[in-house]
Amino acid sequence: MDEVIQVTQWLSSITPRKKAKLFFFTTHADAPSPMVGSNDVDTHEETQLPLATTVALHNFKNIDEFLKKKVNTFSCYNVIENEITKTDYEYLRFYSACKYLGVVPPFLDLEKISAIQNKFEMTDEERDYRLLLDSADLVLEKVCDSLKPAGVSQMWTALRKDRNLIRGVKTIDIIGFFVDPNPTGIKECLFFFIVRFLQKADKINRVNTNRLERLIAQCDESSSCEEGKTIDFIIDSLRFYPTELYPFGFCLIMCVIEGRDGAMQEIEKTMEISRHLGMITHTEKNPTKETIELVKKELMKPKYQFYSSFTCWFMSHGDSNSMVLADGETIEREWFLTSFPDISTFQLKPKVFFMVSCRGANKFSLKGDEFEGQSATCDYYDIGSALIRNRMLDITDSVRDISYVQPMMDTLVAYSTILDHLSGRANTHGSIYVDRACVLMSENISRGRSLTEILEHLSQDLHEILQETMDEDRIVYKQACHYDSFFRKTLKLPYTRHPKEDVHSAPQ
């Protein structure tokens, strides 16, 4: 069959709502850069004009033309070995969006998908199409689905009132002031236009969504929300780090085995819980400084742009300032913690570090006969808010900026013990902190708990456990853990386990 006819038939089989979503996912706002074949020209015409004309004319002709152009580009594209191009990235995004929406063109060359995944050096696990979807866009899709056409129309009216923001933007004038968002698919096009416009104007990104939240807050709840949804519910959904679908993120496990009883148990537990949470995991046993540098270099590869979070477990001996590596050398804990968050592939994404090592030799010792022989280190085991706000500073948009971000932002560091103190371990089971952390995370899947809630529970749980030193003094003591957070949103554990779905992966 002629390819033109195939494309036409494919487009005619897609509903207007899915066309709007496919366009939105395909014109992803945060594509990796710099990349071969990319440039710094404004993509305003490509990402906003088709949406604007569709809303204004109630006609999907320009979106259809955009999708046809994409398909034709991919059809003629020759996958070049080694170097990764902008088209490679777009091809993967387009394929994953089609797969997610259930509209994969029957004529799409899946062998090219596999060849592109080879260029990205993707493992079998990483070839799951869900990895290629952007979690932030999926959250925004759910926000759109929670709003009625009237709600999106009210957002548009509120946006149009911000003269400083919309001044001189031609696509705003194309849509006009009053919009009828009721025809099928028009609500989605208008909402996605608002989102892409705010992103291009540097008013929102995957972490900073305050400007979008303020637009939603101006909606009338009775007429703007779908059944069972509220304005508060919709806004709250934007206040979590976007970690939708599989995988939950990338997990790096580094564990020094030499001279650490139970270290293999630590590895097994952390691997099990990371997989339980739906993470793709890599383990480094007995890391050295060279190992760490190689891992950092690995994490800068383009494929890690697709991950929505990063978690690192580092387990070793240590003191107040440093950690002991497998070859006996030490590294400064502060150096380790500040070098990883600066990796560009995980910018604006949650980064969690579990630092499991002693930070000194002090102990919170317990005296008295009743504590002798008792320890776990053995092998058994809004009032007046409006009034208040009126008295506060008026922080205008002109003094807000989301373009420049401190490297440590969106990072959380969880320590197994407090400064200058021991971190206890069982004779064969390894770190008690690791054991309790894995247990609590496993128990709280499907309960909607945030990571910080679990860490607070862990702090309480760990501090109840009596431990005993392994030297001849056999001192009974308690351990206190804590965390330092630079999070700007809440990181929730996934509601369900996310197994790998082979049936959704591109052919090898």
Side-chain angles (χ1 to χ4, degrees), residues 19-288:
K19 283 182 182 178
K21 292 183 178 185
L22 182 56
F23 180 90
F24 178 64
F25 293 138
T26 304
T27 56
H28 178 61
D30 300 316
S33 62
M35 297 185 70
V36 176
S38 65
N39 52 52
D40 294 329
V41 298
D42 184 12
T43 57
H44 158 83
E45 294 291 326
E46 185 180 62
T47 60
Q48 296 180 50
L49 186 57
L51 290 171
T53 55
T54 302
V55 172
L57 303 175
H58 290 183
N59 186 314
F60 278 78
K61 178 181 177 181
N62 285 340
I63 287 182
D64 284 350
E65 288 300 319
F66 172 87
L67 295 175
K68 283 181 183 178
K69 183 180 177 182
K70 284 291 180 189
V71 169
N72 290 334
T73 298
F74 299 148
S75 178
C76 300
Y77 179 59
N78 293 317
V79 180
I80 305 170
E81 292 184 6
N82 300 324
E83 61 183 20
I84 294 175
T85 68
K86 181 182 178 183
T87 304
D88 290 329
Y89 181 84
E90 291 176 346
Y91 207 147
L92 292 182
R93 286 290 190 196
F94 180 77
Y95 164 73
S96 64
C98 288
K99 193 74 176 176
Y100 173 70
L101 295 169
V103 296
V104 177
F107 48 84
L108 192 67
D109 190 345
L110 298 184
E111 293 299 329
K112 288 184 181 179
I113 298 291
S114 183
I116 293 171
Q117 289 172 328
N118 289 340
K119 289 170 64 174
F120 276 89
E121 300 178 28
M122 289 183 171
T123 64
D124 289 346
E125 282 185 298
E126 292 169 331
R127 291 172 187 255
D128 191 307
Y129 83 96
R130 294 171 294 178
L131 172 65
L132 306 175
L133 292 164
D134 183 75
S135 291
D137 282 350
L138 293 176
V139 170
L140 292 166
E141 179 207 16
K142 290 183 178 180
V143 170
C144 181
D145 290 344
S146 299
L147 290 166
K148 290 181 177 179
V152 179
S153 181
Q154 290 166 31
M155 290 176 61
W156 177 247
T157 300
L159 178 67
R160 285 295 305 257
K161 291 179 181 178
D162 191 336
R163 298 295 181 185
N164 292 328
L165 183 60
I166 68 172
R167 185 179 292 115
V169 181
K170 293 180 180 179
T171 46
I172 297 284
D173 295 330
I174 288 173
I175 297 176
F177 199 93
F178 298 103
V179 177
D180 178 11
N182 289 295
T184 304
I186 301 302
K187 176 196 81 169
E188 286 76 15
C189 287
L190 181 58
F191 180 82
F192 296 146
F193 176 87
I194 293 171
V195 167
R196 290 294 185 242
F197 170 74
L198 292 174
Q199 288 171 336
K200 295 298 180 183
D202 263 345
K203 296 301 179 183
I204 65 171
N205 55 34
R206 64 185 297 120
V207 171
N208 302 90
T209 54
N210 288 337
R211 192 68 184 83
L212 182 63
E213 292 172 25
R214 297 210 303 272
L215 289 179
I216 296 171
Q218 295 181 60
C219 295
D220 172 57
E221 186 164 280
S222 61
S223 62
S224 62
C225 299
E226 292 288 355
E227 186 176 352
K229 308 297 183 184
T230 65
I231 294 295
D232 285 344
F233 172 86
I234 295 170
I235 291 176
D236 283 347
S237 70
L238 290 167
R239 293 181 176 171
F240 299 107
Y241 280 108
T243 53
E244 302 292 304
L245 291 183
Y246 171 92
F248 182 63
F250 182 80
C251 181
L252 171 65
I253 299 171
M254 290 186 165
C255 183
V256 175
I257 299 173
E258 302 298 330
R260 297 184 65 250
D261 294 337
M264 290 304 298
Q265 285 281 331
E266 295 170 353
I267 293 175
E268 290 175 11
K269 291 171 186 176
T270 50
M271 285 183 65
E272 182 179 4
I273 190 59
S274 66
R275 289 170 178 166
H276 195 65
L277 292 171
M279 294 182 180
I280 292 177
T281 305
H282 176 76
T283 301
E284 288 288 348
K285 299 175 183 176
N286 288 325
T288 63

Side-chain angles (χ1 to χ4, degrees), residues 376-426:
T377 48
C378 302
D379 280 343
Y380 61 84
Y381 260 65
D382 41 44
I383 299 174
S385 59
L387 178 62
I388 294 172
R389 288 183 66 88
N390 289 337
R391 296 167 59 188
M392 300 299 178
L393 286 172
D394 181 19
I395 308 297
T396 63
D397 284 346
S398 63
V399 294
R400 291 181 182 272
D401 173 79
I402 67 171
S403 303
Y404 301 97
V405 182
Q406 289 275 6
M408 284 298 290
M409 297 306 293
D410 307 306
T411 299
L412 182 147
V413 183
Y415 296 95
S416 62
T417 189
I418 58 178
L419 186 63
D420 296 327
H421 282 68
L422 286 175
S423 180
R425 35 191 318 99

